[in-house]
Amino acid sequence: MCKSTDGDKLPANSTLVPGAGSVHLSAPMLWGKGIIHDFKECVWQHWWKEMINFNQKTVAVTLLVFITVIAPTLTFGAVYGKSTNNNIGAIETMLATSWIGITYALIGGMPLCVIGSTGPVLAFTTALFNIAKNLDVPFLTVYAWTSVWLVGYAFLAAFFDLTRFVRLATRFTDEIFALIIVSIFVLDAVWDPFSETGLFWYLSPGHQSHAPYENDPDYNHLTSALLSILLGFGCTWLIFFFRGFKFSEFFCNQSIRTMVHDFAVIGSVIVFTIVKQFGFPDVPTETLNVPAQFEPTYKCCDASCRTQWPMDCADQGAPFGTRPWFADFGDLNGKGWVPIMCAAPAIGAFLLLYLDNGITWHLINHKSHQLEHGEAYNYDLMLSGFFNMVNGFLGLPWLVASTVPCIIHLQALAETDRNGNILSVQETRLTLLFSHLLVGLSMLVLSALELIPLPVLYGVFLFMGLSSLPKIQFWQRFLLFFKQPAVWPSTPYTDWMKKLRIHKYTVFQTLFFALVFVVQNVKVISIAFPFMVFLCIPARLFVLPKLFEGWELELLDGEDEQIEEWVDAKEESIRNFEKRRTVSMGEESDNDTVNQNSEKQDNEMEKSEEADV
């Protein structure tokens, strides 16, 4: 750095941009103004453009979103069946995903967001089932009344613009949440220590995928495991290989290279499905857990439907029927106070709705994603409450913005440069509409879904996780712990901050990431996952400013334009300092020259006088 002379100093970093690193809450739009504003800005203004921008990418992304959505939908459906005694199952989850996805695509405010099942909501539903069981009231009745209160809370929050508090989240919170999502991708695809999910779990002889063949003398679990691992990692490799053609020199024109890039995922799934079905038809691999037919999962022993077949009537050869699609609000078992009591658990359900939706919306609408069609937090929160009220009436699972499919959807619709930076995004409603139409149509041909090997889908999930890592600054800073400082990449924070300060910030962020990660993966406390993520916001607002200066937080946690503003101010201050320093040195040089000339003249006069004498 430049050294000052004669008391001239560079301006302090903290004075370059007033208020650097501070976070401000936007002014509220009360009394429903926020809902109206969201509708006008996001739906009314852009709806037609988003419904007619059909192109090649639309087809490719539609198929990708369908694959991304159908696997977790069926998985969550199976878990819901175990957790709610089949009151909610795979068919109910598919139906909910399909109708909400289609409806939201048509009237939603932010159609890049994909609605689906999440772990915290599943955990809360399980807790509500246990409450209903303890009350000796049918679960679907309690569920329906809770849904009524839920939509009321959602409407009040949207009416008074309470969603603005989610916007206090900064890069600090967003990147913790993003890295959690990436960890879900990678662990679920490779090896999840918290559940028997992932390719390497197939090596265990006790894995559930081997159970149907335990009495088959010709079955070898290691053969099945090896094929599954090759299918999964092979699919991941082929996706990266296909996507690399976009900026390659192969093929005759850019249109073909772009097509290979856009259809990389669905093409790889088809290739490795064919490899499995025709290359190794006799080696069993795990497939999606698909229900047998379209009907409510709960099967009744008799007309009252209070007992479940076959668990409660094992000697009965066939079920009497299935549960009704609509919940009976009046089936309270003589406890007329239950509808009022449901207001209490509905508060917890609303907080999950608010946090799961809000954090995902904030992550998707980050300024670096270059979205131009606006944000509709209040309008979409109101819609989410309404959708889940209808689901409560029908005995379908509550759905919220599902982060993993949302990120996949956004990245698939984005145009990026060679470094993965988003240049633009095709903001459309068609991909969400068509993909969820496919989910609905798949209920008519459920057996066809069993053709896709589950290991191939693991390969897709692994690709999604690995492709997201380079875009997360938190991950890039974490890698600096293991890099030689001389070869660190040039970024605003590495150029202007001390290395120990950067590491200190990364350690603090890593601790919060570890906290959220543990809560998310421990089933007993997983319901608190959104709350833990939300706690990152006050940590950033009140704790970090005491540990770091505002300009440091600006470089590490600010928006791109704010960082650019500070860097420009810093460079301008250096230029001004150098200019003043040059002028100052010039003046000193001129004074020295005058003095030297004067001394020279005096010496010459003395010599002349001596000569005269």
Side-chain angles (χ1 to χ4, degrees):
M1 298 300 291
C2 306
K3 295 183 179 180
S4 60
T5 58
D6 296 330
D8 187 17
K9 297 180 179 179
L10 276 169
N13 289 334
S14 58
T15 63
L16 293 175
V17 177
S22 57
V23 182
H24 303 285
L25 186 64
S26 59
M29 289 186 286
L30 304 176
W31 314 111
K33 294 178 182 178
I35 300 173
I36 297 171
H37 173 269
D38 292 349
F39 180 80
K40 288 181 178 179
E41 291 294 318
C42 298
V43 183
W44 186 262
Q45 184 174 346
H46 301 289
W47 188 88
W48 182 246
K49 290 182 290 185
E50 294 171 347
M51 288 296 292
I52 61 173
N53 53 354
F54 180 87
N55 54 25
Q56 171 185 294
K57 187 181 286 289
T58 307
V59 178
V61 177
T62 292
L63 297 174
L64 170 60
V65 174
F66 169 71
I67 289 175
T68 305
V69 166
I70 195 65
T73 295
L74 290 170
T75 301
F76 271 106
V79 180
Y80 266 111
K82 296 177 182 176
S83 303
T84 65
N85 199 24
N86 283 334
N87 281 276
I88 298 174
I91 284 295
E92 287 82 0
T93 309
M94 291 181 71
L95 179 59
T97 303
S98 178
W99 91 262
I100 289 182
I102 293 170
T103 308
Y104 183 73
L106 294 173
I107 65 174
M110 297 178 286
L112 291 186
C113 290
V114 181
I115 313 298
S117 302
T118 66
V121 174
L122 169 61
F124 184 87
T125 305
T126 303
L128 192 64
F129 175 80
N130 293 327
I131 291 173
K133 187 176 181 180
N134 292 332
L135 292 174
D136 195 23
V137 176
F139 163 68
L140 292 181
T141 302
V142 174
Y143 190 62
W145 277 112
T146 305
S147 301
V148 173
W149 286 100
L150 175 61
V151 71
Y153 295 145
F155 176 79
L156 288 174
F159 191 74
F160 290 105
D161 192 21
L162 298 184
T163 60
R164 72 186 187 278
F165 291 103
V166 178
R167 301 170 196 252
L168 289 172
T170 63
R171 190 193 297 265
F172 175 80
T173 303
D174 289 344
E175 293 194 334
I176 289 174
F177 194 57
L179 199 56
I180 287 289
I181 299 308
V182 169
S183 72
I184 294 173
F185 274 114
V186 176
L187 290 178
D188 282 356
V190 180
W191 184 79
D192 187 351
F194 303 99
S195 65
E196 292 189 4
T197 305
L199 293 170
F200 285 115
W201 270 108
Y202 292 125
L203 294 171
S204 170
H207 188 263
Q208 59 183 4
S209 64
H210 305 310
Y213 310 100
E214 59 184 359
N215 295 324
D216 186 350
D218 297 327
Y219 178 75
N220 188 323
H221 80 278
L222 291 177
T223 303
S224 176
L226 179 59
L227 178 60
S228 298
I229 291 171
L230 291 175
L231 291 174
F233 286 114
C235 182
T236 303
W237 170 82
L238 192 60
I239 295 173
F240 278 112
F241 178 74
F242 282 158
R243 287 176 66 87
F245 278 107
K246 184 173 184 178
F247 298 107
S248 74
E249 299 175 353
F250 294 93
F251 299 119
C252 57
N253 57 52
Q254 186 60 45
S255 297
I256 295 179
R257 289 191 289 269
T258 301
M259 180 183 297
V260 175
H261 173 276
D262 290 344
F263 286 90
V265 175
I266 188 64
S268 300
V269 170
I270 292 174
V271 166
F272 278 92
T273 299
I274 292 174
V275 167
K276 162 61 183 76
Q277 298 299 338
F278 294 96
F280 305 91
D282 298 328
V283 181
T285 55
E286 189 176 16
T287 60
L288 290 169
N289 186 12
V290 180
Q293 54 188 342
F294 179 74
E295 62 182 7
T297 306
Y298 189 95
K299 295 175 174 58
C300 311
C301 288
D302 52 40
S304 68
C305 212
R306 288 297 187 104
T307 52
Q308 183 185 5
W309 181 89
M311 278 71 76
D312 299 327
C313 47
D315 56 341
Q316 187 171 320
F320 176 84
T322 60
R323 73 164 177 87
W325 278 110
F326 284 91
D328 185 354
F329 281 82
D331 190 5
L332 301 171
N333 198 20
K335 300 179 176 67
W337 45 268
V338 167
I340 305 300
M341 182 277 301
C342 289
I347 295 175
F350 165 71
L351 289 175
L352 283 175
L353 187 79
Y354 177 88
L355 293 173
D356 263 3
N357 279 326
I359 293 171
T360 302
W361 293 337
H362 189 269
L363 185 64
I364 295 301
N365 285 286
H366 194 275
K367 291 184 179 180
S368 64
H369 294 157
Q370 311 296 337
L371 300 182
E372 298 178 351
H373 290 187
E375 303 171 350
Y377 286 40
N378 292 301
Y379 174 71
D380 277 5
L381 181 63
M382 183 185 68
L383 281 184
S384 183
F386 172 75
F387 292 157
N388 287 312
M389 180 190 71
V390 174
N391 280 3
F393 292 175
L394 294 172
L396 309 181
W398 293 325
L399 305 183
V400 294
S402 184
T403 310
V404 172
C406 285
I407 293 176
I408 294 172
H409 193 204
L410 171 73
Q411 292 179 346
L413 288 170
E415 290 294 332
T416 61
D417 60 18
R418 290 179 179 270
N419 298 320
N421 299 312
I422 293 178
L423 304 175
S424 63
V425 178
Q426 179 184 331
E427 298 183 58
T428 180
R429 295 175 180 271
L430 298 177
T431 51
L432 195 63
L433 176 63
F434 294 156
S435 61
H436 286 77
L437 276 171
L438 288 177
V439 173
L441 291 174
S442 66
M443 289 187 286
L444 304 177
V445 285
L446 291 168
S447 59
L449 296 175
E450 294 181 335
L451 295 175
I452 305 176
L454 190 57
V456 172
L457 297 181
Y458 283 154
V460 175
F461 295 153
L462 179 59
F463 158 74
M464 294 304 173
L466 295 179
S467 63
S468 300
L469 272 178
K471 305 179 185 68
I472 302 176
Q473 185 207 96
F474 177 19
W475 174 251
Q476 296 301 324
R477 278 189 283 103
F478 182 78
L479 293 180
L480 295 182
F481 284 116
F482 313 101
K483 291 185 178 181
Q484 180 184 348
V487 297
W488 280 16
S490 177
T491 64
Y493 55 87
T494 55
D495 289 344
W496 301 107
M497 287 182 63
K498 295 180 179 179
K499 295 175 177 58
L500 287 178
R501 301 289 287 175
I502 297 173
H503 288 328
K504 180 179 178 181
Y505 182 88
T506 305
V507 167
F508 188 86
Q509 196 172 19
T510 303
L511 290 175
F512 266 81
F513 168 81
L515 255 173
V516 177
F517 180 84
V518 169
V519 171
Q520 184 254 336
N521 284 287
V522 178
K523 292 183 179 180
V524 178
I525 56 175
S526 62
I527 193 172
F529 168 65
F531 303 90
M532 291 303 301
V533 176
F534 194 73
L535 282 179
C536 295
I537 298 177
R540 165 61 181 89
L541 295 178
F542 304 113
V543 179
L544 282 176
K546 296 180 180 179
L547 302 176
F548 298 90
E549 295 189 43
W551 68 272
E552 292 176 313
L553 293 176
E554 190 79 275
L555 295 181
L556 290 164
D557 192 46
E559 300 289 352
D560 292 340
E561 60 269 20
Q562 296 171 334
I563 296 173
E564 186 177 349
E565 179 187 5
W566 188 92
V567 172
D568 289 343
K570 180 65 177 178
E571 292 175 346
E572 180 66 22
S573 72
I574 292 175
R575 285 193 293 268
N576 291 336
F577 172 78
E578 293 286 1
K579 189 182 298 182
R580 292 194 302 270
R581 188 165 177 261
T582 301
V583 171
S584 176
M585 292 177 64
E587 291 176 352
E588 291 178 0
S589 178
D590 291 342
N591 291 335
D592 290 343
T593 302
V594 170
N595 292 335
Q596 290 173 1
N597 290 337
S598 177
E599 290 177 359
K600 184 177 181 181
Q601 291 175 358
D602 291 343
N603 290 336
E604 289 177 350
M605 288 179 64
E606 290 177 358
K607 290 179 181 179
S608 177
E609 290 174 353
E610 291 176 356
D612 292 339
V613 172

